[in-house]
Amino acid sequence: MRLSQALRCVTLLLLSAPALAAQETGRIVGKVIDQEHGTAIAGAVLEVDGTEIRAQSAIDGRYTLTRVPAGPVRLRARFIGYQPKVIEGVVVPAGGVVEQNLALQVQAIELEEITVAAAEEQGSVNRALDEQRNATNVVSSISAEQIAKSPDSDAGQAVQRVSGVTVQDGKYVFVRGLGERYTTTALNGARLPSPEPERKVVPLDLFPAGLIDGISTSKTFTPEQAGDFSGAAVNITTKEFPARRVLTFSSSVGYNTAATGKDLPKAPTEGREWLGFGGSARRIPSALKAAGNLSGLTQPQVNGLIASFRDVWRANDGNGSPNGSFGASLGGEDPVFGQRIGYLASLTYSYGQEVRSQDYRALAVAGGPINQFAGTTGKSSVLWGGLLNLSTRIGSSSKLSFNNTYTRSADNEASQRVGTLEQFQTLGPLFATRLTFVARSVFSSQLHGEHLLGQRHYVDWTGTVARTTRDEPDRSDLAYQATRDPATGTYRPTAWADLQQSATRTFSDVGETNYNLAGNYRLTLGGAARPAFLKVGGAWRHTDRDADSRAYDLRNLSASSQELAQSPESLFSNANALAGKFLMSSNSNAGRYSASDKVAAGYVQLEVPLTRWAQVVGGARVERWTLDLQDQDPNGVVQPPVRRENTDVLPALALNLSLTETQTLRLSASQTLSRPEYRELSEQGSFDFIGGLVTRGNAGLERALIQNYDARWEWYPNPGEVVSIGVFAKRFDQPIEKVIVGTTGAPTLEFVNAKSAHNYGAELEVRKGLAMISPSLANLTLFANTTLMHSRITPGNDDISSLTSTRRPMVGQAGYVVNSGLGWLSPSGRWSATALYNVVGRRIAEAGVDPLPDTYEEARHLVDVSLQFPVFGTMSGKFDAKNLLDAPYRLVQGDVLRERYKSGRVFALGFTWKP
């Protein structure tokens, strides 16, 4: 028996030996970069001192050392032309992974190898990886770490922390005070199509913060970039796989002081709206879609079409819901059939209750305000998104990436306002209701390759397919006569008003598909100490857009006064519709258009070091643009096609001067352009509800050319710190402006080419630790950026633009933008707090045409606070407070208040767990 027990013990020890050995080894992963330029180094040799364990860095600088003995080891790195380095104190966990990035310095003369501590080396890598410092042009960036320490839940909120950036309506980016038309948006370097019917921009609130690795804004043009921007080119980078396998769960709950638990108008729901999909009942009835403008139909046929409408007209009364969100992600790098594959899969979902309390609207005419309405708007918002990013390195010279992203948002909104219409004052007060459901989506699939051919030839290429949609199915606009209750002071609807657009159903959808192909070749000339780069490349982009908006107005034909006093669901019931009690007509402020947009481009760019401290970057880009747009009015009449063809040469020249090891001076001059948006060329109209403005396009618009001049001084005194001062100037030839035109009825919005415009300003950015004031403040960091701007427009010679003010700024131009904040980090690094402040100066929203003054959006002060704290183990918590001042949004035109509302303070508590 004793012998049998001994044999079993020996067998158990033998079987467990491999497992014990495996537990006593681990992996070292990381990235090798050039210390001066921050670029990845491919082919560097990494060795664990005293062993035969070694590996080479791949094209992206990443490396993996496997089966490294657990415990402290010395890591040795070497590469031809660079000073060898030894990293001490790298502690490898048994059965785990340690990440150790390192930076190599160019070896000007033969030197002994450098020995540094692991913690020290991580700091130098952080400095070297600073994208702003190592860029060849003027760049401002925000990282995932900064986003995580703020209350920002999407890209639209996060990007407003960047110097000179403002965000309108929480989604549309303005840079340096310029309108959104001068900013482009890309995802992982590929242009995104727009889901908006009225503008060719990408609303950044579509991208959840949990999917974002960083947001960079290039404020100056280089030939390797697309040339149709002047404010900035915004690039959203999704997260790449982590160095070690990481599983993360997060969730949060919150409330809005003006919405949660408050009485709000709530839009009725239909279908899977909690996922951002409207139900089938919202779709335009197939027979109605086939009927076009209703011409040639008999009254019984029209009656049947009216009866096919979803019988929903009113908002429900209810309490605002709490806010909530959750997310999960899994990432890492594992071998698949012997090939290491990096992966990241992530999913986020959020629900929010929003409100516009004290919601006031009016129009301005020469005599003062008209069509004044006041009330409340309640909105339920859903935002969710997912990504699946895969990448692999083939040897040390090639890398392939496959990035896939899908996001979807939906807003279900109900507005109730009471007011009077100037032309129908005899009717007395009107109770106006709008129900609208808007769903937007963005899908992007991208294949990207990088190849290093020898040490001097680098090739990268990208193919991307992107698709955006915007659906607004079955918008309901309704107006009833109203009576005031003397006891409560509130108004209640009494009888249908039976006016034009007092009972309107609208069905709109926009779809846009974008195909991108791009390739670049880079030749490295000279030695590693002072390399020069020759870059050549080309790009092709094809965009197809289809926009369809159909609106139908109902009028009374034979309904009695008693029936007009019924609820709208009873009044517009199937029985009354089939009985022929209503007339229906196609609204003139609708229509359809399709557009095909192609851009082919090629460029040459040189980056040449003139001396050890001076670098010149220059070249030119040629872009060939072709646009074909076909318009169709609500009556089905096809308008003459709109065609634009332009070939533009866009030169750029920049000089970067390294004044010291920590200071840089950047000078640049370039020419870029701005093309008219599809909607601006389409002459179809769109309207705001009852008494609002009608917007019309202009098929005669031309593209604008812009000359840009920039100078910026940058100082990086310590890791994580920056001080910069910049100035800029721009000249616009034929800029496109949105103006208010007075007509015999209500004013309209139209688009015109002005003759020219000038824009200039200055930027200041500071991010500095406060230890210089007192050692007791060492854990505090102050950051602020301020942009001061001024512009002047010169009207054109046409009948409309010549009537605008000659002494006004450009549309969208603010006089100043201020972002500031204070950050605190505990000595352990587990506690942190951030306070943020933002204000955008008064800016023109719409230019008035004589005798109407310009419309201005007033300055609005915002304060947000975020606190992060440990809970237990690998779980951490976060408390966010947003819009603490709850300052009102205000739009004024001369002495007339056009629009005003408040949105409430928002508080949220969340937790993140990494098991």
Side-chain angles (χ1 to χ4, degrees):
M1 183 177 293
R2 291 180 180 177
L3 180 59
S4 175
Q5 290 176 343
L7 289 173
R8 282 199 296 268
C9 290
V10 171
T11 302
L12 182 62
L13 288 172
L14 290 173
L15 291 173
S16 63
L20 293 171
Q23 290 174 0
E24 294 179 357
T25 64
R27 289 190 296 145
I28 304 176
V29 298
K31 189 172 184 178
V32 185
I33 63 167
D34 182 297
Q35 182 167 308
E36 182 177 355
H37 301 102
T39 55
I41 297 176
V45 177
L46 289 303
E47 300 174 311
V48 177
D49 207 18
T51 73
E52 297 295 322
I53 300 170
R54 66 177 58 189
Q56 274 192 326
S57 60
I59 188 171
D60 57 356
R62 290 180 179 267
Y63 71 90
T64 301
L65 292 164
T66 60
R67 297 181 181 179
V68 180
V73 299
R74 286 163 51 98
L75 180 64
R76 191 182 303 271
R78 53 187 172 85
F79 186 65
I80 298 173
Y82 287 82
Q83 191 169 350
K85 181 175 283 189
V86 172
I87 315 298
E88 291 188 328
V90 180
V91 179
V92 180
V97 183
V98 62
E99 183 176 4
Q100 182 62 56
N101 302 318
L102 62 149
L104 298 183
Q105 184 176 354
V106 172
Q107 181 175 288
I109 58 175
E110 191 67 29
L111 295 172
E112 295 293 328
E113 66 183 10
I114 304 173
T115 301
V116 298
E120 261 180 70
E121 184 59 17
Q122 291 287 14
S124 67
V125 171
N126 290 335
R127 289 195 301 269
L129 287 176
D130 190 329
E131 181 179 0
Q132 180 172 311
R133 179 179 182 180
N134 295 312
T136 57
N137 56 345
V138 177
V139 172
S140 296
S141 302
I142 184 168
S143 67
E145 181 182 3
Q146 291 170 287
I147 295 173
K149 292 181 180 179
S150 74
D152 303 329
S153 60
D154 58 61
Q157 297 172 15
V159 75
Q160 67 182 339
R161 315 296 179 187
V162 175
S163 175
V165 172
T166 62
V167 179
Q168 187 183 56
D169 297 333
K171 61 186 75 171
Y172 305 119
V173 174
F174 288 61
V175 180
R176 291 176 167 177
L178 297 174
E180 73 269 15
R181 73 169 63 253
Y182 300 108
T183 299
T184 62
T185 303
L187 182 67
N188 296 318
R191 181 72 60 85
L192 282 173
S194 170
E196 296 299 307
E198 299 292 330
R199 53 188 91 183
K200 195 173 64 178
V201 296
V202 178
L204 295 187
D205 63 336
L206 272 172
F207 300 95
L211 306 184
I212 298 171
D213 189 56
I215 305 173
S216 66
T217 56
S218 298
K219 298 179 181 178
T220 58
F221 169 70
T222 54
E224 60 187 336
Q225 298 172 289
D228 55 341
F229 78 90
S230 180
V234 177
N235 184 41
I236 302 170
T237 306
T238 56
K239 291 184 176 180
E240 196 180 21
F241 68 92
R244 67 188 76 182
R245 188 182 303 161
V246 176
L247 176 62
T248 304
F249 298 100
S250 63
S251 64
S252 71
V253 65
Y255 73 98
N256 184 317
T257 57
T260 307
K262 308 291 185 181
D263 291 332
L264 294 177
K266 304 195 75 174
T269 60
E270 183 76 45
R272 296 170 296 162
E273 292 179 7
W274 64 277
L275 282 176
F277 294 94
S280 58
R282 289 185 180 273
R283 298 174 188 164
I284 183 171
S286 57
L288 182 60
K289 186 173 183 179
N293 65 342
L294 311 180
S295 61
L297 297 182
T298 64
Q299 186 61 41
Q301 289 174 317
V302 172
N303 296 342
L305 294 177
I306 297 174
S308 68
F309 284 134
R310 187 173 64 113
D311 195 15
V312 175
W313 294 89
R314 293 180 303 175
N316 297 324
D317 295 325
N319 294 330
S321 306
N323 303 330
S325 70
F326 70 85
S329 66
L330 173 66
E333 185 182 34
D334 291 304
V336 178
F337 301 113
Q339 179 69 33
R340 299 200 69 85
I341 303 293
Y343 57 91
L344 176 66
S346 182
L347 176 68
T348 67
Y349 177 91
S350 65
Y351 172 87
Q353 180 71 67
E354 301 177 33
V355 66
R356 289 186 176 185
S357 61
Q358 305 173 36
D359 192 355
Y360 171 86
R361 305 284 179 93
L363 290 181
V365 295
I370 63 170
N371 300 348
Q372 301 178 69
F373 282 77
T376 303
T377 298
K379 182 168 67 173
S380 300
S381 297
V382 168
L383 172 63
W384 64 274
L387 65 80
L388 175 62
N389 291 349
L390 305 172
S391 65
T392 187
R393 297 183 293 272
I394 303 172
S396 61
S397 60
S398 292
K399 179 183 178 182
L400 294 176
S401 302
F402 185 42
N403 301 322
N404 302 274
T405 305
Y406 180 83
T407 65
R408 189 171 188 89
S409 73
D411 299 323
N412 199 13
E413 182 177 296
S415 299
Q416 290 181 339
R417 304 186 188 96
V418 176
T420 58
L421 290 178
E422 186 74 11
Q423 63 271 44
F424 301 110
Q425 288 191 10
T426 57
L427 291 177
L430 297 176
F431 193 97
T433 303
R434 166 173 282 187
L435 304 179
T436 180
F437 175 83
V438 178
R440 299 171 298 168
S441 70
V442 173
F443 167 74
S444 175
S445 184
Q446 179 188 80
L447 184 62
H448 178 68
E450 301 174 67
H451 311 278
L452 187 63
L453 311 175
Q455 289 300 319
R456 295 189 176 274
H457 306 277
Y458 172 83
V459 175
D460 72 278
W461 52 269
T462 301
T464 307
V465 176
R467 170 75 177 171
T468 61
T469 63
R470 182 191 186 274
D471 297 319
E472 188 178 10
D474 198 15
R475 185 177 75 198
S476 165
D477 292 313
L478 179 71
Y480 263 52
Q481 292 176 274
T483 300
R484 185 175 183 271
D485 185 337
T488 62
T490 59
Y491 287 84
R492 61 181 181 84
T494 55
W496 179 36
D498 188 24
L499 304 172
Q500 185 68 25
Q501 298 177 11
S502 64
T504 300
R505 303 298 277 261
T506 305
F507 303 85
S508 301
D509 63 83
V510 178
E512 186 169 322
T513 304
N514 191 301
Y515 304 92
N516 287 269
L517 293 175
N520 303 280
Y521 165 75
R522 185 186 70 201
L523 173 63
T524 303
L525 305 170
R530 288 170 54 188
F533 301 101
L534 169 65
K535 296 181 179 180
V536 296
W540 176 80
R541 185 173 76 247
H542 180 194
T543 302
D544 287 317
R545 165 178 276 219
D546 289 292
D548 189 348
S549 179
R550 303 166 188 249
Y552 304 93
D553 298 326
L554 298 183
R555 296 298 300 271
N556 183 32
L557 180 61
S558 61
S560 66
S561 57
Q562 291 82 5
E563 288 173 321
L564 295 180
Q566 293 177 334
S567 70
E569 287 75 20
S570 298
L571 173 61
F572 299 110
S573 66
N574 287 354
N576 284 345
L578 293 174
K581 296 185 177 183
F582 308 106
L583 293 172
M584 183 167 68
S585 60
S586 179
N587 192 292
S588 61
N589 294 314
R592 282 157 276 174
Y593 71 86
S594 60
S596 179
D597 184 341
K598 300 180 181 67
V599 178
Y603 76 90
V604 176
Q605 179 174 312
L606 271 171
E607 301 174 19
V608 180
L610 301 179
T611 66
R612 187 175 180 182
W613 50 269
Q615 179 198 44
V616 64
V617 180
R621 185 180 185 90
V622 178
E623 291 196 351
R624 170 71 173 176
W625 172 56
T626 305
L627 172 68
D628 291 287
L629 185 142
Q630 186 65 67
D631 221 350
Q632 185 176 339
D633 70 15
N635 294 319
V637 178
V638 177
Q639 305 297 314
V642 177
R643 183 173 177 81
R644 292 289 182 275
E645 283 187 70
N646 290 108
T647 300
D648 295 288
V649 178
L650 307 174
L653 182 65
L655 179 64
N656 298 322
L657 304 175
S658 297
L659 306 180
T660 67
E661 289 187 0
T662 59
Q663 298 183 53
T664 301
L665 177 64
R666 303 181 189 274
L667 307 170
S668 70
S670 64
Q671 177 164 290
T672 56
L673 54 83
S674 172
R675 300 183 177 107
E677 299 163 8
Y678 311 132
R679 171 63 186 86
E680 296 169 351
L681 292 167
S682 169
E683 294 188 354
Q684 66 165 268
S686 61
F687 69 97
D688 198 358
F689 181 37
I690 210 163
L693 294 179
V694 173
T695 301
R696 297 196 180 279
N698 177 1
L701 291 177
E702 299 289 343
R703 62 97 171 88
L705 293 175
I706 307 137
Q707 289 80 47
N708 310 277
Y709 306 94
D710 284 81
R712 186 160 83 168
W713 169 76
E714 300 170 355
W715 177 39
Y716 301 87
N718 295 299
E721 297 183 347
V722 61
V723 178
S724 71
I725 300 174
V727 294
F728 59 88
K730 301 176 185 293
R731 184 187 183 279
F732 298 78
D733 181 26
Q734 291 190 302
I736 300 170
E737 296 276 287
K738 183 168 66 173
V739 301
I740 301 177
V741 181
T743 63
T744 54
T748 63
L749 283 171
E750 298 188 18
F751 301 94
V752 296
N753 281 110
K755 181 180 180 181
S756 63
H758 294 81
N759 168 275
Y760 50 89
E763 292 179 317
L764 170 66
E765 181 179 7
V766 176
R767 185 177 183 88
K768 194 78 176 67
L770 300 186
M772 61 179 182
I773 299 176
S774 168
S776 61
L777 303 179
N779 295 329
L780 292 175
T781 300
L782 175 69
F783 45 93
N785 58 74
T786 300
T787 305
L788 305 176
M789 299 155 289
H790 180 78
S791 66
R792 181 64 53 82
I793 193 80
T794 302
N797 298 320
D798 59 85
D799 294 338
I800 297 176
S801 62
S802 62
L803 296 177
T804 63
S805 170
T806 59
R807 301 189 62 81
R808 67 168 174 84
M810 300 174 67
V811 171
Q813 172 73 70
Y816 62 89
V817 177
V818 177
N819 290 299
S820 63
L822 185 66
W824 170 78
L825 183 67
S826 68
S828 67
R830 301 190 67 193
W831 289 78
S832 69
T834 306
L836 301 165
Y837 168 76
N838 168 263
V839 62
V840 181
R842 194 170 187 254
R843 60 185 173 187
I844 287 187
E846 299 153 352
V849 173
D850 189 61
L852 299 178
D854 303 323
T855 301
Y856 279 86
E857 180 183 333
E858 298 289 357
R860 186 167 175 241
H861 301 268
L862 301 172
V863 172
D864 302 327
V865 174
S866 182
L867 171 67
Q868 290 181 300
F869 52 91
V871 180
F872 58 82
T874 57
M875 179 177 286
S876 61
K878 184 180 181 184
F879 174 76
D880 294 330
K882 298 171 61 176
N883 193 30
L884 290 177
L885 301 180
D886 197 17
Y889 171 90
R890 298 179 71 246
L891 201 67
V892 299
Q893 189 172 3
D895 296 330
V896 175
L897 177 63
R898 284 269 311 278
E899 187 175 344
R900 182 190 188 277
Y901 64 83
K902 301 181 74 173
S903 54
R905 300 173 178 87
V906 179
F907 300 91
L909 178 65
F911 298 93
T912 300
W913 179 44
K914 296 181 179 180

